[in-house]
């Protein structure tokens, strides 16, 4: 069952509050909700297509015709039927707007896996570590849980502060998957 866009935006806000970068949030949303890169980056910022167009028009007011939500719809549906490919210049501006690299906005396979010098996890792991660091999924969920648990430590008094034992248990749960393979 598809998740409502409002829930995806709420997830993005929660991850941002935990200190995640927009790039990391977008990659998480893309993988978790099977979104295209352009949609994932827009939702990582919590914007509608109209809000993204408004921000574009504010940033580049005299650069051609004003962009609309419909323009975003064409770009985001590309390469599907009815979509329109954004030019290299548009991709560069979108990257500036979304605070990422233009290449982050393109969907498709990662051919880096074919590099014989790459490790089995796509150069995302430290040699001998079976954690898949940065790959998303369970590790990110455990880290988000750990960070949310420790957030009250930096908050003003009056909030429930977890015990050191509870934090240690959550941390041990998180790092268990990072133990070097035997």
């Amino acid at each position: 069952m598809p998740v409502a866009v409002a829930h995806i935006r709420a997830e993005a806000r929660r991850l941002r509050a935990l200190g995640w970068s927009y790039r990391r949030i977008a990659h998480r949303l893309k993988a978790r909700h099977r979104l295209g890169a352009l949609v994932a980056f827009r939702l990582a910022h919590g914007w509608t297509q109209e809000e993204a167009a408004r921000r574009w028009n504010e940033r580049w007011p005299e650069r051609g015709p004003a962009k609309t939500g419909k323009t975003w719809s064409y770009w985001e549906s590309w390469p599907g039927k009815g979509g329109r490919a954004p030019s290299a210049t548009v991709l560069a501006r979108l990257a500036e707007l979304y605070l990422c690299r233009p290449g982050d906005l393109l969907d498709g396979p990662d051919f880096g896996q074919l590099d014989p010098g790459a490790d089995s996890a796509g150069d995302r792991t430290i040699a001998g570590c079976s954690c898949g660091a940065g790959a998303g999924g369970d590790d990110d969920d455990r880290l988000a849980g750990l960070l949310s648990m420790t957030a009250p430590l930096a908050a003003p008094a009056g909030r429930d502060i977890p015990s050191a034992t509870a934090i240690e248990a959550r941390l041990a749960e998180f790092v268990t998957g990072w133990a070097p393979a035997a």
Side-chain angles (χ1 to χ4, degrees), residues 35 37-38 43 45 53 62 68-69 71 82 101 104 108 115 131 174 176 180:
L35 301 173
L38 288 169
L43 292 177
H45 285 268
E62 63 278 336
T68 64
T71 306
R101 296 182 307 249
D104 290 331
D115 181 355
C131 65
F174 176 69
T176 299

Side-chain angles (χ1 to χ4, degrees), residues 99-164:
L99 305 175
C100 65
R101 296 182 307 249
D104 290 331
L105 301 174
L106 300 173
D107 293 312
D110 178 1
F111 294 105
Q113 304 171 67
L114 302 176
D115 181 355
D119 64 21
S120 62
D123 286 338
R124 292 186 190 167
T125 60
I126 299 169
C129 175
S130 61
C131 65
D138 292 339
D139 285 339
D140 284 343
D141 291 336
R142 285 193 297 266
L143 179 59
L146 177 64
L147 290 174
S148 66
M149 182 180 221
T150 59
L153 297 175
R159 293 189 56 186
D160 292 332
I161 298 177
S163 70

